[in-house]
Amino acid sequence: MAMNGTITTWFEDKGFGFIKDENGDNRYFHVIKVANPDLIKKDAAVTFEPTTNNKGLSAFSVKVIPDSKYIFIAGERLKLTSIKSFVVYSEEEPVDTRIDKENTVLSVGILMNNIKPKTDVKPDEMRSVKKLAVTTFQGTTLIFTEDEIDIDAAVKMLKV
């Protein structure tokens, strides 16, 4: 039966530490029993399987719960556990669908120099736009373009 706990002590050089479980007991754990050892740190929340060894209470199948359960993309708060899949793709669209200077207020994150005045655009000129589509278990698909967000940074967050 899995339990929740918090890492109270972590000796990185020795590869072990202690977890305070939900009953307030301290349990020994070793790095080889941790599913995602790169996330181990003091005060991190964990789930684990309780057991005992010759020294007393211990924990195995330890999973460190990542700090942020949510990521923010272009102002949308997404719960990491509700993201089913995501895909990055490119789409051709007319250059003049680009955000024009009058509307920049609507998308704060965009650098002014990213926005071309309409006059530079030849009619029917196309450009390739990188997009990120995120699908949730609720069946919603959110699409963000590289004009709104840093797609590579967003994908790094999604790969947690």
Side-chain angles (χ1 to χ4, degrees), residues 31-155:
V31 65
I32 59 171
K33 304 282 194 223
V34 180
N36 44 1
D38 47 318
L39 295 180
I40 297 174
K41 63 175 199 279
K42 190 174 164 3
D43 299 326
V46 292
T47 60
F48 64 91
E49 296 293 334
T51 185
T52 47
N53 62 12
N54 53 9
K55 298 194 183 76
L57 297 173
S58 65
F60 71 103
S61 292
V62 179
K63 268 205 186 76
V64 183
I65 298 163
D67 271 349
S68 172
K69 290 282 210 200
Y70 293 93
I71 58 168
F72 290 87
I73 304 182
E76 293 278 347
R77 185 169 105 146
L78 290 176
K79 197 171 183 180
L80 281 172
T81 51
S82 69
I83 294 168
K84 184 170 159 191
S85 60
F86 61 92
V87 62
V88 175
Y89 61 98
S90 286
E91 199 166 60
E92 294 291 316
E93 56 180 48
V95 173
D96 54 15
T97 58
R98 230 192 166 142
I99 299 144
D100 57 63
K101 283 223 160 88
E102 292 77 47
N103 293 337
T104 51
V105 191
L106 298 175
S107 55
V108 179
I110 295 178
L111 301 168
M112 288 302 281
N113 61 7
N114 231 355
I115 296 155
K116 292 183 179 155
K118 287 270 197 202
T119 51
D120 299 351
V121 175
K122 298 186 224 35
D124 306 324
E125 193 183 335
M126 298 294 281
R127 71 180 185 123
S128 178
V129 183
K130 202 164 151 194
K131 298 186 174 186
L132 167 66
V134 177
T135 306
T136 66
F137 286 111
Q138 289 75 35
T140 333
T141 301
L142 300 162
I143 296 177
F144 305 99
T145 69
E146 61 186 339
D147 291 342
E148 300 174 281
I149 62 165
D150 176 336
I151 287 183
D152 298 330
V155 165

